[in-house]
Amino acid sequence: MHHHPGLFIPGPTNVPDAVRRAMNIPQEDMRSPDFPKLTLPLFADLKSVFKTQTGQPFIYPASGTGGWEAVLTNTLNPGDKVLISTFGQFSSLWSDMCRRLGFDVEVVEGEWGEGVPVERFADILSADKDHRIRAVLGTHNETATGVTSSIAGMRKALDASDHPALLYIDGVSSIASIDFRMDEWGVDGIVSGSQKGFMLPTGLAIICVSQKALAAHASSKFPRCFFSFEDMQRANKDGYFPYTPATVLLRGLRASLDLLFEEGLENVFARHHHIASGVRAAVAAWGLDLVARDRKWYSDTVSAVYTPAGVDAVQVLRRAFDRYGVSFGSGLARLNGKVFRIGHIGATNEVMMLGALAAAEMALVDCGAKIELGSGVAAAQSRYGARPQVLAKAA
Ligand SMILES: *Cc1c(COP(=O)(O)O)cnc(C)c1O
C-alpha cells in the first residue's frame, strides 16, 4: 500500500491540507446575500497574483483550455489573423484551437526545447505594416518541454514596431509559481487553471484581461455564450455568476490565495526556483539532458528529461508507478518514450523532491540506465542545504 500520494506531475498538483479542509464543507447558496463576501475579495486578490491594477479577472467552471477559448472568442472576430509559435504540445494545442475557431493563424514552428522566438516575432510584426495581425500568442511555460519564455521580450517585439496587436499569454503552468507581471509586460489576456500553481483540483479556468482587450470585446462578433464576458461582468460586479459557480473550488481558491500571500508571492517564486535548481543538479549528476536547450529556457515548474539511449521512458514511468508508487509526467507527442517529466510546481518542498528524485533514480536504474544510485539525490541535497534566496525586485 502506498501512503504517500507520490504525485510529481506538472498538474494536477498536490493540494495542501489547508486547502483540502477549506473544501470539505456543505454546499451553499450561490445567490445568498453573503456570497459576495467570498467572491469580491477573490477577484481583487487575483489581480495581485497577475500583478495588475487595471485588469479584469474572470473565473469559469472549466479547465485551462476553456480559458484559452474565453480570451480568443470574446475579443477577436472570425478570420482575424493571429501570430503564434509552436514549440511543444501545449503551444501546438493552442495553435490548433485557433485554427479550429476559424482564425487566420500564422504559425512559427519552433524547436521543441526552445521558447518563443522573439526576434522572429519582431521581424514579422515590423513587416506587418497594415496591422493585419490582431493578436500575438505566447506560452509562458511550455509544460511539455520544461521551457519558460520571456514575456517581456514579446512585449519588446511588439513595441519595437509600435504594433497594436493584443498580447495573449498561456500561464497555466506558470501563474503563482513563476514571476508574471501583467501590467509591466503589457499583457492583454492571461490564462491559468486551478490545478497547477493554485494547488487546487481541476475545475476553474482563471483568466484576466486588460482594458484594451475589453475594448476589443465591444467590437468582437464571435458567437459565444458560456464564456461571454458581458454576462460574467454583469453578474460578477455584485459578486455573483450568470450560472452555478463551482462554489467548493471558490472556497478552496480562498484558502490557496491565503497560503500564497502568507508565504509571499516573491518567496513562492524563489522556492520554486530553489526546488527546480536541485532537480536540475540531479539531472546533471545522472549525466542526462534536459529537453530545454539552454539555461535561459529552464523552467522552475517542470523539468523534461531525456532518458539515456536504449532506455524507454514509458518503461521508466511504469516502473516508478508500479514499484515505487510515484507518478512522473510522460513525454508528450513526439517526446513519448524518450522523455519523462518531473513536476516541481505548487505545494512542494525539498524533502518531497528528494523522495521523487530517489524514486526516479531507482526506476531509471531498474530499466537499465547506467546511473549511480544516490548520485542525483546527493547533488540535490547539496543544493538544498543552502537556503532559498528571495528574488531581488526587478530593476
Ligand atoms: C495544463 C496546461 C494547459 C491545459 O490546461 P487544462 O486545464 O488541461 O485544460 C494549457 N497550457 C499549459 C501550458 C498547461 O500546462
Side-chain angles (χ1 to χ4, degrees), residues 177-261:
S177 316
I178 296 173
D179 194 16
F180 176 82
R181 307 171 187 190
M182 181 168 185
D183 285 359
E184 188 181 321
W185 296 339
V187 172
D188 296 299
I190 172 71
V191 175
S192 67
S194 48
Q195 79 276 22
K196 299 195 180 170
F198 285 110
M199 307 171 288
L200 288 163
T202 318
L204 300 178
I206 302 170
I207 71 169
C208 193
V209 296
S210 70
Q211 292 301 318
K212 182 173 159 184
L214 288 176
H217 173 72
S219 59
S220 157
K221 305 269 185 298
F222 216 100
R224 56 186 170 252
C225 176
F226 182 80
F227 288 118
S228 159
F229 281 176
E230 63 267 34
D231 294 358
M232 270 291 184
Q233 276 181 299
R234 205 175 306 124
N236 281 177
K237 76 176 161 30
D238 302 316
Y240 296 99
F241 288 80
Y243 38 73
T244 319
T247 53
V248 172
L249 289 173
L250 295 178
R251 291 285 168 193
L253 180 59
R254 177 68 269 154
S256 152
L257 290 167
D258 289 346
L259 286 180
L260 291 169
F261 295 151

Side-chain angles (χ1 to χ4, degrees), residues 63-65 68 90 139 141 143 170 172-173 195-196:
S63 78
T65 306
W68 282 345
F90 293 96
T139 302
N141 187 74
T143 319
D170 172 349
V172 179
S173 63
Q195 79 276 22
K196 299 195 180 170

Side-chain angles (χ1 to χ4, degrees), residues 337-376:
K338 298 180 190 148
V339 161
F340 70 102
R341 292 175 301 146
I342 304 174
H344 32 86
I345 171 169
T348 62
N349 62 32
E350 293 105 329
V351 172
M352 285 169 73
M353 239 26 251
L354 289 170
L357 292 170
E361 219 160 54
M362 288 189 284
L364 281 162
V365 168
D366 293 347
C367 293
K370 302 274 175 286
I371 283 173
E372 194 187 333
L373 282 176
S375 59

Side-chain angles (χ1 to χ4, degrees), residues 58-246:
F58 292 103
I59 307 171
Y60 296 96
S63 78
T65 306
W68 282 345
E69 188 159 330
V71 166
L72 297 170
T73 59
N74 272 286
T75 60
L76 299 173
N77 284 293
D80 273 356
K81 186 158 179 179
V82 302
L83 172 64
I84 187 169
S85 175
T86 55
F87 43 82
Q89 179 70 354
F90 293 96
S91 44
S92 299
L93 286 172
W94 202 15
S95 168
D96 184 56
M97 171 184 279
C98 290
R99 195 181 49 73
R100 287 159 66 172
L101 290 173
F103 298 114
D104 171 9
V105 191
E106 175 157 0
V107 181
V108 177
E109 278 194 35
E111 296 293 332
W112 288 40
E114 297 182 359
V116 176
V118 289
E119 290 87 10
R120 184 96 181 78
F121 271 26
D123 291 345
I124 292 169
L125 289 163
S126 74
D128 182 37
K129 298 286 181 224
D130 48 357
H131 297 161
R132 290 198 50 242
I133 297 170
R134 297 276 301 137
V136 178
L137 277 50
T139 302
H140 188 196
N141 187 74
E142 174 50 83
T143 319
T145 56
V147 161
T148 303
S149 288
S150 166
I151 307 308
M154 291 187 74
R155 171 41 61 196
K156 262 198 207 140
L158 280 153
D159 288 351
S161 53
D162 263 332
H163 201 292
L166 295 153
L167 176 58
Y168 290 155
I169 301 301
D170 172 349
V172 179
S173 63
S174 62
I175 294 301
S177 316
I178 296 173
D179 194 16
F180 176 82
R181 307 171 187 190
M182 181 168 185
D183 285 359
E184 188 181 321
W185 296 339
V187 172
D188 296 299
I190 172 71
V191 175
S192 67
S194 48
Q195 79 276 22
K196 299 195 180 170
F198 285 110
M199 307 171 288
L200 288 163
T202 318
L204 300 178
I206 302 170
I207 71 169
C208 193
V209 296
S210 70
Q211 292 301 318
K212 182 173 159 184
L214 288 176
H217 173 72
S219 59
S220 157
K221 305 269 185 298
F222 216 100
R224 56 186 170 252
C225 176
F226 182 80
F227 288 118
S228 159
F229 281 176
E230 63 267 34
D231 294 358
M232 270 291 184
Q233 276 181 299
R234 205 175 306 124
N236 281 177
K237 76 176 161 30
D238 302 316
Y240 296 99
F241 288 80
Y243 38 73
T244 319

